[in-house]
Amino acid sequence: MIHLFGVLKHAFKRRSEVIDNAVFRLHWLFTSTLLMVFSIMITAKQYVGQSISCMKTDGIPEDIMNAYCWIHTTFTIPEAFRKTVGVDVPHPGIDNTKMGEKKYYAYYQWVCFVLFLQALLFYAPYYIWKIWEGGVIAAVSLGMHIAVVSEEEREKKRTLLINYFLTHKGTHKFYVIKYVFCEFLCLVNVVGQMWLMNVFLDDEFFSYGVKVVEFAQMNQEERADPMVFVFPRMTKCRFHQFGSSGDVQKHDALCILPLNIVNEKIYIFLWFWFVILAILTILVLINRIVILVFRQLRARFLKGRCRLAAHNDLKYISRYSDIGDWFLLYMVAKNVDPIVIQEVTSELARKINRSNSDDTENLVV
Protein backbone atom coordinates (compact mmCIF):
# COMPACT_ATOMS: atom_id res chain seq x y z
CA MET A 1 0.00 0.00 0.00
CA ILE A 2 3.00 2.30 0.38
CA HIS A 3 3.19 2.96 -3.35
CA LEU A 4 -0.30 4.55 -3.17
CA PHE A 5 1.31 7.46 -1.36
CA GLY A 6 3.86 7.92 -4.13
CA VAL A 7 1.66 10.62 -5.64
CA LEU A 8 2.60 12.79 -2.67
CA LYS A 9 6.15 12.96 -3.98
CA HIS A 10 5.00 14.70 -7.15
CA ALA A 11 2.39 16.81 -5.39
CA PHE A 12 4.92 18.31 -2.99
CA LYS A 13 7.60 18.83 -5.62
CA ARG A 14 9.05 22.34 -5.35
CA ARG A 15 7.59 24.75 -7.88
CA SER A 16 9.64 27.42 -9.64
CA GLU A 17 7.10 30.18 -8.86
CA VAL A 18 5.04 30.63 -5.69
CA ILE A 19 1.73 32.37 -6.39
CA ASP A 20 -0.01 31.78 -3.06
CA ASN A 21 0.65 31.50 0.68
CA ALA A 22 1.22 28.54 3.00
CA VAL A 23 -2.39 28.25 4.17
CA PHE A 24 -3.67 28.38 0.58
CA ARG A 25 -1.30 25.48 -0.23
CA LEU A 26 -2.67 23.52 2.73
CA HIS A 27 -6.03 23.63 0.96
CA TRP A 28 -5.25 22.80 -2.65
CA LEU A 29 -1.99 20.88 -2.26
CA PHE A 30 -1.93 19.04 1.07
CA THR A 31 -5.64 18.48 1.71
CA SER A 32 -6.58 17.76 -1.89
CA THR A 33 -3.73 15.25 -2.26
CA LEU A 34 -4.54 13.64 1.08
CA LEU A 35 -8.22 13.19 0.17
CA MET A 36 -7.20 11.71 -3.17
CA VAL A 37 -4.92 9.21 -1.43
CA PHE A 38 -7.70 8.29 1.00
CA SER A 39 -10.05 7.72 -1.93
CA ILE A 40 -7.54 5.48 -3.71
CA MET A 41 -6.83 3.59 -0.49
CA ILE A 42 -10.51 2.87 0.13
CA THR A 43 -11.03 1.89 -3.50
CA ALA A 44 -8.11 -0.54 -3.45
CA LYS A 45 -9.99 -3.08 -1.34
CA GLN A 46 -7.42 -5.77 -1.95
CA TYR A 47 -4.95 -3.82 0.22
CA VAL A 48 -7.22 -3.18 3.20
CA GLY A 49 -9.46 -6.26 3.27
CA GLN A 50 -12.94 -7.16 2.06
CA SER A 51 -15.61 -4.50 1.89
CA ILE A 52 -18.20 -6.66 3.67
CA SER A 53 -18.35 -10.21 4.93
CA CYS A 54 -21.71 -11.72 5.97
CA MET A 55 -22.33 -14.98 7.76
CA LYS A 56 -23.74 -17.80 5.63
CA THR A 57 -27.35 -18.52 6.56
CA ASP A 58 -29.97 -21.13 5.58
CA GLY A 59 -28.25 -22.34 2.46
CA ILE A 60 -27.83 -18.88 0.89
CA PRO A 61 -24.38 -18.74 -0.77
CA GLU A 62 -21.97 -16.41 1.03
CA ASP A 63 -21.02 -14.44 -2.09
CA ILE A 64 -24.69 -13.75 -2.87
CA MET A 65 -25.32 -12.59 0.70
CA ASN A 66 -22.25 -10.34 0.62
CA ALA A 67 -23.24 -8.79 -2.71
CA TYR A 68 -26.86 -8.28 -1.61
CA CYS A 69 -25.97 -6.67 1.71
CA TRP A 70 -23.37 -4.42 0.07
CA ILE A 71 -25.79 -3.19 -2.59
CA HIS A 72 -28.66 -2.80 -0.14
CA THR A 73 -28.35 -1.19 3.26
CA THR A 74 -27.33 -2.88 6.47
CA PHE A 75 -28.62 -1.71 9.84
CA THR A 76 -28.09 -1.63 13.59
CA ILE A 77 -30.36 -1.04 16.59
CA PRO A 78 -29.39 2.32 18.22
CA GLU A 79 -30.70 1.25 21.64
CA ALA A 80 -28.38 -1.77 21.57
CA PHE A 81 -25.29 0.49 21.68
CA ARG A 82 -26.16 1.33 25.29
CA LYS A 83 -26.43 -2.31 26.35
CA THR A 84 -23.64 -4.46 27.79
CA VAL A 85 -21.78 -6.43 25.14
CA GLY A 86 -21.55 -10.12 25.97
CA VAL A 87 -24.41 -9.91 28.46
CA ASP A 88 -27.37 -8.15 26.86
CA VAL A 89 -26.19 -8.07 23.24
CA PRO A 90 -23.56 -10.03 21.26
CA HIS A 91 -22.06 -6.95 19.59
CA PRO A 92 -22.51 -3.17 19.84
CA GLY A 93 -25.70 -2.23 18.02
CA ILE A 94 -26.81 -5.81 17.42
CA ASP A 95 -30.09 -6.89 19.04
CA ASN A 96 -33.41 -8.55 18.33
CA THR A 97 -34.79 -6.80 15.25
CA LYS A 98 -38.37 -7.10 16.51
CA MET A 99 -37.60 -4.46 19.14
CA GLY A 100 -36.62 -0.81 18.67
CA GLU A 101 -36.00 1.37 15.64
CA LYS A 102 -33.34 0.59 13.07
CA LYS A 103 -30.48 2.78 11.86
CA TYR A 104 -29.58 2.03 8.26
CA TYR A 105 -26.12 2.41 6.72
CA ALA A 106 -25.42 2.88 3.03
CA TYR A 107 -22.65 5.52 3.08
CA TYR A 108 -19.88 2.93 2.77
CA GLN A 109 -20.78 2.47 -0.90
CA TRP A 110 -20.00 6.13 -1.57
CA VAL A 111 -16.99 6.94 0.64
CA CYS A 112 -14.38 6.68 -2.13
CA PHE A 113 -16.48 8.83 -4.50
CA VAL A 114 -17.22 11.49 -1.89
CA LEU A 115 -13.54 11.72 -0.93
CA PHE A 116 -12.61 12.11 -4.60
CA LEU A 117 -15.23 14.88 -5.03
CA GLN A 118 -13.89 16.63 -1.93
CA ALA A 119 -10.36 16.51 -3.34
CA LEU A 120 -11.57 18.25 -6.52
CA LEU A 121 -13.44 20.90 -4.52
CA PHE A 122 -10.34 21.69 -2.47
CA TYR A 123 -8.34 22.14 -5.66
CA ALA A 124 -10.97 24.38 -7.31
CA PRO A 125 -10.04 27.74 -5.61
CA TYR A 126 -6.40 27.34 -6.67
CA TYR A 127 -7.44 26.40 -10.20
CA ILE A 128 -9.54 29.57 -10.42
CA TRP A 129 -6.70 31.69 -9.01
CA LYS A 130 -4.16 30.16 -11.39
CA ILE A 131 -6.35 31.16 -14.36
CA TRP A 132 -6.88 34.67 -13.02
CA GLU A 133 -3.22 35.08 -12.06
CA GLY A 134 -2.25 34.42 -15.67
CA GLY A 135 1.46 33.94 -15.06
CA VAL A 136 2.08 37.49 -13.83
CA ILE A 137 4.40 36.39 -11.01
CA ALA A 138 6.47 34.21 -13.35
CA ALA A 139 6.73 37.00 -15.90
CA VAL A 140 7.65 39.71 -13.39
CA SER A 141 10.12 37.69 -11.28
CA LEU A 142 12.07 36.68 -14.42
CA GLY A 143 13.64 33.67 -12.75
CA MET A 144 15.50 35.79 -10.21
CA HIS A 145 15.10 33.32 -7.33
CA ILE A 146 18.78 32.46 -7.95
CA ALA A 147 21.28 35.22 -7.21
CA VAL A 148 24.29 33.45 -8.73
CA VAL A 149 24.10 35.01 -12.20
CA SER A 150 26.30 37.39 -14.09
CA GLU A 151 26.20 41.01 -12.99
CA GLU A 152 25.11 42.09 -16.45
CA GLU A 153 22.15 39.70 -16.51
CA ARG A 154 21.12 40.57 -12.96
CA GLU A 155 21.25 44.30 -13.73
CA LYS A 156 19.14 43.81 -16.84
CA LYS A 157 16.45 41.80 -15.01
CA ARG A 158 16.47 44.19 -12.05
CA THR A 159 15.91 47.15 -14.39
CA LEU A 160 13.04 45.37 -16.12
CA LEU A 161 11.40 44.58 -12.78
CA ILE A 162 11.71 48.17 -11.52
CA ASN A 163 10.40 49.57 -14.79
CA TYR A 164 7.42 47.22 -14.66
CA PHE A 165 6.41 48.46 -11.20
CA LEU A 166 6.80 52.10 -12.23
CA THR A 167 4.98 51.86 -15.58
CA HIS A 168 2.14 49.69 -14.21
CA LYS A 169 1.76 51.53 -10.93
CA GLY A 170 -1.87 51.57 -9.73
CA THR A 171 -3.08 48.80 -12.09
CA HIS A 172 -3.06 45.80 -9.75
CA LYS A 173 -6.10 46.42 -7.54
CA PHE A 174 -8.17 43.70 -9.19
CA TYR A 175 -5.20 41.36 -8.85
CA VAL A 176 -5.34 41.46 -5.06
CA ILE A 177 -9.16 41.42 -5.02
CA LYS A 178 -9.17 38.21 -7.05
CA TYR A 179 -6.61 36.62 -4.75
CA VAL A 180 -8.49 37.50 -1.57
CA PHE A 181 -11.70 36.23 -3.17
CA CYS A 182 -10.02 32.86 -3.83
CA GLU A 183 -8.87 32.74 -0.20
CA PHE A 184 -12.45 33.42 0.84
CA LEU A 185 -13.54 30.56 -1.46
CA CYS A 186 -11.16 28.32 0.51
CA LEU A 187 -13.00 29.19 3.72
CA VAL A 188 -16.41 28.68 2.10
CA ASN A 189 -15.20 25.35 0.74
CA VAL A 190 -13.86 23.92 4.01
CA VAL A 191 -17.01 24.97 5.95
CA GLY A 192 -19.19 23.63 3.14
CA GLN A 193 -17.25 20.37 3.17
CA MET A 194 -17.93 19.94 6.88
CA TRP A 195 -21.62 20.49 6.23
CA LEU A 196 -21.48 18.01 3.33
CA MET A 197 -19.91 15.32 5.51
CA ASN A 198 -22.45 15.97 8.24
CA VAL A 199 -25.26 15.31 5.75
CA PHE A 200 -23.38 12.32 4.35
CA LEU A 201 -22.99 10.76 7.80
CA ASP A 202 -26.59 11.38 8.86
CA ASP A 203 -25.95 14.47 11.04
CA GLU A 204 -23.17 12.77 12.99
CA PHE A 205 -20.05 14.56 11.70
CA PHE A 206 -20.35 17.94 13.49
CA SER A 207 -20.28 16.27 16.91
CA TYR A 208 -18.03 13.37 15.89
CA GLY A 209 -14.69 14.78 17.03
CA VAL A 210 -16.12 16.16 20.28
CA LYS A 211 -17.65 12.79 21.15
CA VAL A 212 -14.39 10.97 20.40
CA VAL A 213 -12.48 13.33 22.74
CA GLU A 214 -15.10 12.83 25.46
CA PHE A 215 -14.95 9.07 24.91
CA ALA A 216 -11.18 9.04 25.47
CA GLN A 217 -11.64 10.78 28.85
CA MET A 218 -14.37 8.47 30.20
CA ASN A 219 -13.93 5.42 32.40
CA GLN A 220 -13.67 2.23 30.41
CA GLU A 221 -16.75 0.74 32.12
CA GLU A 222 -18.97 3.72 31.30
CA ARG A 223 -17.97 4.71 27.80
CA ALA A 224 -19.59 3.80 24.49
CA ASP A 225 -17.35 4.26 21.48
CA PRO A 226 -18.88 6.94 19.17
CA MET A 227 -16.74 5.68 16.29
CA VAL A 228 -18.52 2.33 16.45
CA PHE A 229 -21.89 4.09 16.40
CA VAL A 230 -21.05 6.14 13.28
CA PHE A 231 -18.93 3.42 11.64
CA PRO A 232 -20.23 0.08 12.97
CA ARG A 233 -17.97 -2.89 12.50
CA MET A 234 -20.81 -5.39 12.89
CA THR A 235 -24.24 -4.82 11.34
CA LYS A 236 -27.30 -6.83 10.36
CA CYS A 237 -28.75 -7.47 6.93
CA ARG A 238 -32.19 -8.83 6.08
CA PHE A 239 -32.52 -11.08 3.02
CA HIS A 240 -35.90 -12.11 1.57
CA GLN A 241 -36.63 -15.14 -0.59
CA PHE A 242 -39.44 -17.54 -1.41
CA GLY A 243 -39.67 -20.70 0.69
CA SER A 244 -40.65 -24.17 -0.54
CA SER A 245 -44.32 -23.42 0.11
CA GLY A 246 -44.20 -20.17 -1.87
CA ASP A 247 -44.34 -17.82 1.09
CA VAL A 248 -41.79 -15.05 1.65
CA GLN A 249 -39.05 -15.97 4.10
CA LYS A 250 -36.88 -13.48 5.98
CA HIS A 251 -33.26 -14.18 6.85
CA ASP A 252 -31.23 -12.03 9.23
CA ALA A 253 -27.47 -12.19 8.72
CA LEU A 254 -24.64 -10.66 10.70
CA CYS A 255 -22.22 -8.70 8.53
CA ILE A 256 -18.71 -7.51 9.31
CA LEU A 257 -17.57 -4.20 7.74
CA PRO A 258 -13.74 -4.32 7.90
CA LEU A 259 -13.36 -1.06 5.96
CA ASN A 260 -15.05 0.85 8.76
CA ILE A 261 -11.87 0.43 10.80
CA VAL A 262 -10.20 2.59 8.14
CA ASN A 263 -13.19 4.90 7.63
CA GLU A 264 -13.46 5.85 11.30
CA LYS A 265 -9.77 6.83 11.42
CA ILE A 266 -10.03 8.82 8.19
CA TYR A 267 -13.02 10.83 9.34
CA ILE A 268 -11.74 11.56 12.83
CA PHE A 269 -8.56 12.91 11.22
CA LEU A 270 -10.61 14.95 8.74
CA TRP A 271 -12.75 16.38 11.57
CA PHE A 272 -9.74 17.78 13.43
CA TRP A 273 -7.93 18.80 10.25
CA PHE A 274 -10.90 20.69 8.80
CA VAL A 275 -11.43 22.56 12.08
CA ILE A 276 -7.74 23.55 12.16
CA LEU A 277 -7.80 24.51 8.48
CA ALA A 278 -10.92 26.65 8.92
CA ILE A 279 -9.33 28.50 11.87
CA LEU A 280 -6.10 29.12 9.93
CA THR A 281 -8.06 30.41 6.93
CA ILE A 282 -10.08 32.79 9.11
CA LEU A 283 -6.84 34.13 10.59
CA VAL A 284 -5.43 34.71 7.10
CA LEU A 285 -8.56 36.61 6.04
CA ILE A 286 -8.37 38.73 9.20
CA ASN A 287 -4.76 39.43 8.26
CA ARG A 288 -5.88 40.59 4.81
CA ILE A 289 -8.46 42.93 6.34
CA VAL A 290 -5.83 44.40 8.68
CA ILE A 291 -3.51 45.05 5.73
CA LEU A 292 -6.30 46.67 3.74
CA VAL A 293 -7.34 48.96 6.60
CA PHE A 294 -3.98 49.88 8.16
CA ARG A 295 -1.55 51.09 5.50
CA GLN A 296 1.21 51.71 8.07
CA LEU A 297 1.44 47.98 8.83
CA ARG A 298 2.18 47.00 5.23
CA ALA A 299 5.88 47.84 5.54
CA ARG A 300 6.18 45.45 8.50
CA PHE A 301 4.62 42.60 6.55
CA LEU A 302 6.83 43.41 3.56
CA LYS A 303 9.89 43.35 5.80
CA GLY A 304 9.16 39.72 6.57
CA ARG A 305 9.67 38.94 2.88
CA CYS A 306 12.44 41.43 2.17
CA ARG A 307 14.76 40.67 5.08
CA LEU A 308 17.78 42.54 3.69
CA ALA A 309 15.88 45.58 2.47
CA ALA A 310 16.04 48.87 4.38
CA HIS A 311 12.92 49.44 6.47
CA ASN A 312 12.72 53.09 5.39
CA ASP A 313 12.66 52.06 1.73
CA LEU A 314 9.82 49.63 2.42
CA LYS A 315 7.90 52.28 4.39
CA TYR A 316 8.25 54.73 1.51
CA ILE A 317 7.13 52.17 -1.09
CA SER A 318 4.16 51.11 1.06
CA ARG A 319 3.16 54.74 1.64
CA TYR A 320 3.14 55.74 -2.02
CA SER A 321 1.77 52.49 -3.48
CA ASP A 322 -1.80 51.22 -3.40
CA ILE A 323 -2.74 47.80 -2.01
CA GLY A 324 -2.49 46.14 -5.44
CA ASP A 325 1.08 47.29 -6.10
CA TRP A 326 2.08 46.45 -2.53
CA PHE A 327 0.62 42.96 -2.78
CA LEU A 328 2.31 42.23 -6.10
CA LEU A 329 5.68 43.30 -4.67
CA TYR A 330 4.99 41.11 -1.62
CA MET A 331 4.30 38.10 -3.86
CA VAL A 332 7.28 38.80 -6.12
CA ALA A 333 9.53 38.94 -3.04
CA LYS A 334 8.69 35.25 -2.44
CA ASN A 335 10.17 34.40 -5.83
CA VAL A 336 13.22 36.67 -5.92
CA ASP A 337 16.50 36.20 -4.09
CA PRO A 338 16.76 38.42 -0.93
CA ILE A 339 19.85 40.18 -2.29
CA VAL A 340 18.12 41.02 -5.55
CA ILE A 341 14.92 42.20 -3.87
CA GLN A 342 16.99 44.42 -1.56
CA GLU A 343 18.51 46.11 -4.62
CA VAL A 344 15.10 46.36 -6.30
CA THR A 345 13.35 47.97 -3.31
CA SER A 346 16.21 50.41 -2.80
CA GLU A 347 16.15 51.57 -6.42
CA LEU A 348 12.35 51.53 -6.53
CA ALA A 349 12.09 53.76 -3.43
CA ARG A 350 14.64 56.17 -4.92
CA LYS A 351 12.78 56.45 -8.23
CA ILE A 352 9.38 56.88 -6.54
CA ASN A 353 10.91 59.64 -4.41
CA ARG A 354 12.36 61.33 -7.50
CA SER A 355 9.02 61.03 -9.31
CA ASN A 356 7.16 62.58 -6.38
CA SER A 357 9.74 65.40 -6.20
CA ASP A 358 9.36 66.14 -9.89
CA ASP A 359 5.57 66.21 -9.55
CA THR A 360 5.87 68.65 -6.65
CA GLU A 361 8.22 70.95 -8.62
CA ASN A 362 5.89 70.95 -11.63
CA LEU A 363 2.98 71.77 -9.33
CA VAL A 364 4.89 74.74 -7.86
CA VAL A 365 5.87 76.03 -11.32
Side-chain angles (χ1 to χ4, degrees):
M1 185 169 59
I2 295 177
H3 77 275
L4 292 177
F5 295 89
V7 293
L8 291 172
K9 178 180 178 182
H10 301 286
F12 290 100
K13 185 178 180 181
R14 180 178 174 85
R15 288 158 173 75
S16 55
E17 292 86 24
V18 178
I19 62 173
D20 52 15
N21 61 28
V23 175
F24 204 152
R25 286 192 293 277
L26 287 178
H27 282 265
W28 72 267
L29 180 56
F30 179 79
T31 307
S32 181
T33 304
L34 196 65
L35 288 168
M36 192 69 71
V37 170
F38 285 157
S39 177
I40 295 172
M41 186 173 64
I42 293 299
T43 305
K45 296 181 294 185
Q46 64 269 30
Y47 294 115
V48 291
Q50 288 182 300
S51 304
I52 190 171
S53 181
C54 298
M55 294 178 61
K56 185 177 179 180
T57 177
D58 296 334
I60 302 173
E62 184 178 356
D63 56 343
I64 293 179
M65 182 63 74
N66 288 343
Y68 176 85
C69 293
W70 176 258
I71 295 172
H72 296 77
T73 56
T74 59
F75 64 90
T76 59
I77 310 299
E79 294 180 359
F81 284 100
R82 293 186 287 269
K83 296 183 179 181
T84 305
V85 176
V87 178
D88 302 316
V89 293
H91 304 282
I94 304 300
D95 202 352
N96 192 327
T97 55
K98 295 180 181 179
M99 301 174 60
E101 63 175 338
K102 302 179 183 66
K103 180 176 175 62
Y104 292 91
Y105 300 88
Y107 64 84
Y108 46 75
Q109 304 171 7
W110 302 97
V111 169
C112 60
F113 301 106
V114 171
L115 290 172
F116 180 78
L117 174 62
Q118 289 181 275
L120 296 181
L121 290 175
F122 268 99
Y123 189 82
Y126 174 75
Y127 182 76
I128 295 172
W129 166 239
K130 193 173 182 180
I131 293 175
W132 282 347
E133 200 273 335
V136 173
I137 297 296
V140 174
S141 59
L142 299 168
M144 288 190 290
H145 57 284
I146 301 176
V148 185
V149 294
S150 65
E151 183 61 32
E152 181 181 353
E153 182 180 359
R154 187 167 70 174
E155 177 64 26
K156 180 180 178 181
K157 290 183 176 181
R158 187 173 64 230
T159 301
L160 289 173
L161 178 57
I162 294 170
N163 289 338
Y164 176 86
F165 275 103
L166 292 175
T167 55
H168 294 81
K169 192 172 182 292
T171 64
H172 303 105
K173 290 180 180 178
F174 281 107
Y175 187 87
V176 65
I177 290 173
K178 290 175 182 179
Y179 181 78
V180 174
F181 176 74
C182 288
E183 286 187 323
F184 178 73
L185 279 184
C186 288
L187 178 61
V188 172
N189 177 65
V190 69
V191 174
Q193 296 259 12
M194 295 175 71
W195 175 83
L196 172 66
M197 285 192 287
N198 190 60
V199 173
F200 181 58
L201 296 178
D202 197 19
D203 294 329
E204 295 290 345
F205 183 75
F206 283 153
S207 58
Y208 185 49
V210 176
K211 288 180 179 178
V212 170
V213 173
E214 292 175 348
F215 165 74
Q217 297 174 346
M218 292 179 181
N219 294 327
Q220 190 169 0
E221 295 79 10
E222 301 175 357
R223 59 188 187 176
D225 192 345
M227 291 189 289
V228 175
F229 181 77
V230 181
F231 301 99
R233 298 153 194 179
M234 182 72 74
T235 59
K236 298 190 72 175
C237 177
R238 179 167 290 177
F239 185 86
H240 298 83
Q241 69 172 3
F242 284 108
S244 56
S245 60
D247 59 332
V248 176
Q249 295 181 342
K250 302 177 183 179
H251 303 277
D252 277 355
L254 291 178
C255 298
I256 300 175
L257 299 173
L259 276 180
N260 272 352
I261 295 292
V262 180
N263 288 332
E264 67 182 25
K265 306 304 187 299
I266 288 176
Y267 279 95
I268 190 59
F269 172 82
L270 291 179
W271 190 91
F272 285 104
W273 176 241
F274 280 15
V275 170
I276 293 171
L277 197 57
I279 293 173
L280 290 175
T281 308
I282 291 172
L283 292 176
V284 168
L285 289 174
I286 292 174
N287 175 272
R288 299 290 178 233
I289 295 173
V290 169
I291 292 174
L292 285 171
V293 174
F294 301 101
R295 180 187 290 266
Q296 60 271 26
L297 295 178
R298 296 176 191 173
R300 294 184 180 273
F301 284 100
L302 197 57
K303 182 64 176 178
R305 290 296 171 193
C306 310
R307 300 185 302 272
L308 302 180
H311 186 65
N312 288 335
D313 290 339
L314 301 180
K315 285 179 63 178
Y316 198 84
I317 293 172
S318 300
R319 181 180 178 183
Y320 290 100
S321 301
D322 63 25
I323 185 61
D325 297 327
W326 176 90
F327 182 75
L328 182 62
L329 180 60
Y330 180 82
M331 296 296 286
V332 168
K334 294 183 178 182
N335 298 273
V336 176
D337 184 84
I339 297 176
V340 177
I341 201 65
Q342 183 270 331
E343 296 171 348
V344 168
T345 53
S346 177
E347 183 67 15
L348 189 60
R350 188 179 65 82
K351 289 196 173 185
I352 292 176
N353 184 31
R354 180 189 297 174
S355 176
N356 290 336
S357 300
D358 292 342
D359 291 341
T360 302
E361 290 176 3
N362 292 335
L363 195 62
V364 171
V365 173

